[in-house]
């Protein structure tokens, strides 16, 4: 099993991605860290705890940054609802977040692990940038960073910028300059691999997770039930499970932080104009049928309690 840490801003599409990761037999989720993004940190953290409580899962949750490094706070409540996960009536939360800050929790898990860990950021990159800035020594324990963010064509929050990058461009710039192997699952993937209401209805009656995801879907504004919803964050998790479904091109990617017109844009030099050392594997395409099949099979398999055998439950005792 590949050890991963998910950094997230749940978020309806985050919820589906977390479900796929949690129940996968190939991924061993060590820790979930939350960040302000789709909605405020208190809400994204509450939503992560709701999911863990819903599954009776023992993967620890640690709250991180409640704002970007430099710029103003943006949110995407219009797509996810005021709570960030509108549409499903979650039961009482039965698990507590760690006392540790997300960055401290990530540091301890990485340094304690006997093998490298893959970071899977599916929200703004504030926590990841803080981690590398405060504790650069952890980089040698990072296998790779497989993130949902960016675009090489057009944006979804400004003409060119994607939300996760736009929400904290300085953090994204730091992460893209980290020197670590990065796989960028940008907007183009979810735009082509749409998941329709009809598809998700197939899993609605299969298990409680299918019912939960379907209910959230009905309220998600990342598309619509007829033409299909954009499951942005699941494209990052599914890369870990089936990279053969993706077309990937290594190139140099820079993050614009200064221009008022293009702030938050991931400038992907796919043609190599600048002759710069490639720093990112950009996913330029995905097999839509293959992704939809994997997405649905993964959620259909979300039965019972997720097993993440080496989840960092010891963090609950850490001060
Ligand atoms: O632009 C899409 C990204 O922004 C996804 O991660 C979604 O959850 C939001 O955070
Ligand atoms: Ca997200």
């Amino acid at each position: 099993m590949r050890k991963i840490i998910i950094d997230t801003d749940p978020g309806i599409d985050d919820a589906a991605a977390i479900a796929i990761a949690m129940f996968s037999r190939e991924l061993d989720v060590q820790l979930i860290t939350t960040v302000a993004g789709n909605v405020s940190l208190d809400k994204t953290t509450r939503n992560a705890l709701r999911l863990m409580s819903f599954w009776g899962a023992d993967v620890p949750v640690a709250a991180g940054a409640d704002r970007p490094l430099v710029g103003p706070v943006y949110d995407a409540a219009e797509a996810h609802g005021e709570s960030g996960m509108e549409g499903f009536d979650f039961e009482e939360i039965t698990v507590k977040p760690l006392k540790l800050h997300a960055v401290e929790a990530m540091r301890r898990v990485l340094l304690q692990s006997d093998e490298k860990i893959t970071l899977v950021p599916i929200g703004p990159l504030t926590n990841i940038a803080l981690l590398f800035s405060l504790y650069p020594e952890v980089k040698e324990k990072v296998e790779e960073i497989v993130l949902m963010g960016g675009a090489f064509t057009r944006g979804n929050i400004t003409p060119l910028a994607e939300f996760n990058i736009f929400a904290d461009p300085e953090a994204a710039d730091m992460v893209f300059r980290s020197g670590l192997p990065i796989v960028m699952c940008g907007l183009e993937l979810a735009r082509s691999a749409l998941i329709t209401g009809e598809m998700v209805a197939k899993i609605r009656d299969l298990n409680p997770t299918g019912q939960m995801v379907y209910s959230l879907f009905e309220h998600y504004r990342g598309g619509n039930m007829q033409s299909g919803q954009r499951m942005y964050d699941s494209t990052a998790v599914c890369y870990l499970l089936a990279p053969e479904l993706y077309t990937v091109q290594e190139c140099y990617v820079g993050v614009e932080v200064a221009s008022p017109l293009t702030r938050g844009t991931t400038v992907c030099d796919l043609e190599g104009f600048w002759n710069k050392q490639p720093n990112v594997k950009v996913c330029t395409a995905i097999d839509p049928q293959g992704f939809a099949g994997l997405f649905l099979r993964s959620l259909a398999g979300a039965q019972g309690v997720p097993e993440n055998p080496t989840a960092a439950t010891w963090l609950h005792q850490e001060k």
Side-chain angles (χ1 to χ4, degrees), residues 9 15 32 80 89 152 282 308:
D9 61 336
I32 288 177
H80 300 265
D89 193 10
F152 62 93
V282 175
N308 292 278

Side-chain angles (χ1 to χ4, degrees), residues 178-235:
S178 67
L180 286 170
I182 294 173
V183 175
M184 182 181 115
C185 300
L187 292 176
E188 291 78 11
L189 304 186
R191 282 183 178 137
S192 77
L194 293 166
I195 303 291
T196 65
E198 189 189 339
M199 289 178 185
V200 179
K202 289 181 187 143
I203 56 160
R204 178 185 49 201
D205 307 327
L206 280 184
N207 55 46
T209 295
Q211 174 59 52
M212 182 255 286
V213 168
Y214 184 85
S215 305
L216 294 174
F217 244 57
E218 288 185 305
H219 286 73
Y220 181 47
R221 294 290 168 271
N224 64 63
M225 299 294 268
Q226 288 65 43
S227 58
Q229 301 275 28
R230 295 183 289 272
M231 289 287 94
Y232 298 114
D233 294 335
S234 293
T235 63

